[in-house]
Amino acid sequence: MKIAIASGKGGTGKTTVAVNLALSIPNSHLIDCDVEEPNCNLFLNKELEPIGSSKVTVPNIDEELCTYCGKCSQMCRFNAIATLPEKVILFPTLCHSCGGCILVCPEHAISGKEKCTGIVSRSADMEDHPRLYEGVLNIGESMASPVIKELKRWIEPNISTIIDSPPGTGCPVMTTLEDTDHCILVTEPTPFGLHDLSLAVEMVKIMNIPFGVIINRSEEGNSIIEEYCDKENIDVLMKIPLNKRIAELYSQGIPFVEEMPEWKERFSALFKNIVNGKELA
Amino acid sequence: MEREILSFIQEHSQWKGTGMKELVVISGKGGTGKTTITASFAAMAKNAVIADCDVDAPNLHLLLRPKIMETHAFYGMDKAKIDLERCNECYNCQNSCNFDAIDENLIVNQHKCEGCGVCEYVCESDAIKMVTKISGNVFRSATNHGTMVHAELGIGEEASGKLVSAVKERSRSIALENENDLIITDGPPGTGCPVLATITGAHLALIVTEPSLSGMHDLERVLQVTEHFEIPAIVCINKYDINENNSRTIEAFCHERNIEVVGKLPYDTSTNLAMMEETTIIEYSQNVLSEGIKALWERVVSELEKQ
Ligand code: SF4
Ligand code: SF4
Ligand code: SF4
Ligand code: SF4
């Protein structure tokens, strides 16, 4: 069972939900796919050891052989190569590693060079619960998806796996959500939260992933999200109140299920409901 | 390498020598209050174009209520389409696709296809066409505070970096045309493709952080990014009073790195109330927060003048 925790808007409590949910499920694995800002371990403080890295092939241009014909920049649909009358310039942050320029260069002036774009690590202690897998995109790199793909290779079938997705609805999120069984969208009851939730809902619908919503920092008398979910026929799986104790624990980096056991039960029940729902379907 | 690229961009930029400045507001972590602050800046700036580069989760329009004047279709990456009638099943395309986008039945997965065109190039039977598709819109809008450029990505479309660049290009050409002296940009979260596209060519980055563990961690990462690309950066600590200890840690950390903390704003529930009223905080109320944002703006303006 793979459950992804996503949110249209950043800062809604996605990581909080992922960490607390993983802590409430026996033998679970937690995969932090928010490789631009991986934050799960700030709440778990695990010792991690590197187990892999994402590698992409980027072009390496031998100017000795180059005739500045411009075929490579014509081929490159990502504008990652510019040919000037006497110079070829590569923009590594724009390169998607498609290999097109290498194929077209008539002078064989371009070769592929392997580049590491991110690191994948896991809990050093394998008995640890939840076992954490984390990917980090190297600074200055633009493509998060290869790190996420490398990270997702470590997902084991038959293990309850919680996946912390990046925020938004862009390529890294789609790469994360692909092949997951269920998605929990975390939002907050503000107009920003509602707007971004509706974008995320459209995305999971297109990807055909069953989903439900968790409202974080929920307040009495504010039903902006419930009204939307009612209208759209979306399950509200849980409401986490705007609560001083929870906020304090958050700022200290303590997952609140550790201090408030009633919440561990709620998360565990939530997980069972999702599993049962899937078996019924 | 980055230095070379930077100078290339500066040399070829059309606004070179116009004195126009570009301010980007970014945050690393989402939800720190970046958009609330950007919207207030927009309300105070005298002669600025406002750009929303958080194209994945745009929110600025919810506070500035833009009236759309022009809509420009945005073409994302083309997608490969295989004509099975012409195909001789050589599988060259599948073997050459670096994104595993073509399956064993020679069907192109539209989400996985990045539109590189390699399959089209290797196909000897002319069976593959790259198909253009409108995948969003870029808007030029009027607001009470000046022209705003923003965008909307079609559902399930994924070309954020490219769309960010489209928003930036349009804001720059509008600023040139109208002789605006500033572009204020609301940036996306993270450190990847959309952020890099946003900060390219900017004169100053204001990083909005908050005193939570994740806020601090992400500030560190995003500062590494601005340093890497040599974009001058300054920091504002939002909701500094939710954890004053952490705020002091942030200040010490910035001091060590020679980064100015140009503002500390208190937590205030009026932010949400202003949001419900669809207006900026400085128009909504006169309180400690709105005064703090005004002082912050003055600091930012003077920092911009230095660049
Ligand atoms: S295609 Fe090859 S020869 Fe032509 S400009 Fe590019 S690198 Fe040089
Ligand atoms: S590998 Fe592809 S994306 Fe990268 S420079 Fe070459 S053609 Fe462009
Ligand atoms: S390369 Fe062309 S001919 Fe070969 S399998 Fe692909 S589409 Fe068919
Ligand atoms: S265009 Fe590129 S990514 Fe898309 S199917 Fe062809 S080779 Fe693969």
Side-chain angles (χ1 to χ4, degrees), chain A residues 59 61 70-83 88-105 110 143, chain B residues 77 114-118 120-121 162:
Chain A
I61 303 165
K71 293 224 163 73
C72 52
S73 26
Q74 274 163 31
M75 178 71 199
C76 182
R77 289 172 167 254
F78 305 99
N79 301 321
I81 296 190
T83 359
V88 203
I89 300 184
L90 179 73
F91 299 91
T93 55
L94 297 178
C95 175
H96 283 235
S97 296
C98 70
C101 54
I102 302 175
L103 283 175
V104 295
C105 177
I110 311 183
M143 306 303 161
Chain B
M77 296 307 297
E114 303 212 7
C116 67
V118 165
E120 180 192 41
Y121 177 76
K162 203 178 170 198

Side-chain angles (χ1 to χ4, degrees), chain A residues 10-11 36-39 77 89-92 96-98 104 136-137 139 142 170 174 178 195-196 202 206 250 253, chain B residues 1 5 8 28 30-31 56 58-59 77-78 98-99 112 114-116 130 190-193 213-214 217-218 221 224:
Chain A
E36 294 180 41
E37 311 285 8
N39 283 342
R77 289 172 167 254
I89 300 184
L90 179 73
F91 299 91
H96 283 235
S97 296
C98 70
V104 295
V136 184
L137 178 69
I139 292 297
S142 63
M174 299 240 188
E178 193 153 359
H195 175 261
D196 299 343
E202 299 294 343
I206 285 222
Y250 175 80
Chain B
M1 192 66 199
I5 294 165
F8 177 84
D56 258 0
N59 286 152
M77 296 307 297
D78 297 350
N98 275 353
F99 306 98
K112 288 187 171 178
E114 303 212 7
C116 67
M130 297 303 293
T191 61
C193 175
L213 288 181
S214 358
H217 175 254
D218 298 349
R221 277 183 60 83
Q224 286 171 11

Side-chain angles (χ1 to χ4, degrees), chain B residues 45-77:
Chain B
K46 297 277 170 336
N47 183 22
V49 174
I50 307 142
D52 192 349
C53 284
D54 189 357
V55 297
D56 258 0
N59 286 152
L60 201 53
H61 64 286
L62 298 174
L63 300 180
L64 297 179
R65 284 169 297 160
K67 193 164 155 265
I68 294 173
M69 311 299 281
E70 283 172 23
T71 302
H72 301 266
F74 165 72
Y75 294 88
M77 296 307 297

Side-chain angles (χ1 to χ4, degrees), chain B residues 228-242:
Chain B
H228 187 95
F229 292 97
E230 302 182 11
I231 310 284
I234 50 178
V235 166
C236 163
I237 308 175
N238 194 19
K239 311 175 218 168
Y240 80 93
D241 48 353
I242 58 171

Side-chain angles (χ1 to χ4, degrees), chain A residues 180 203-210:
Chain A
T180 55
M203 171 188 66
V204 287
K205 279 188 182 160
I206 285 222
M207 298 190 74
N208 220 346
I209 301 172

Side-chain angles (χ1 to χ4, degrees), chain B residues 82 87-94 106 122-125 127-128:
Chain B
I82 299 180
C87 167
N88 63 21
E89 298 183 18
C90 71
Y91 284 82
N92 280 349
C93 53
Q94 196 196 38
L106 294 169
V122 298
C123 177
E124 283 165 5
S125 317
I128 306 187

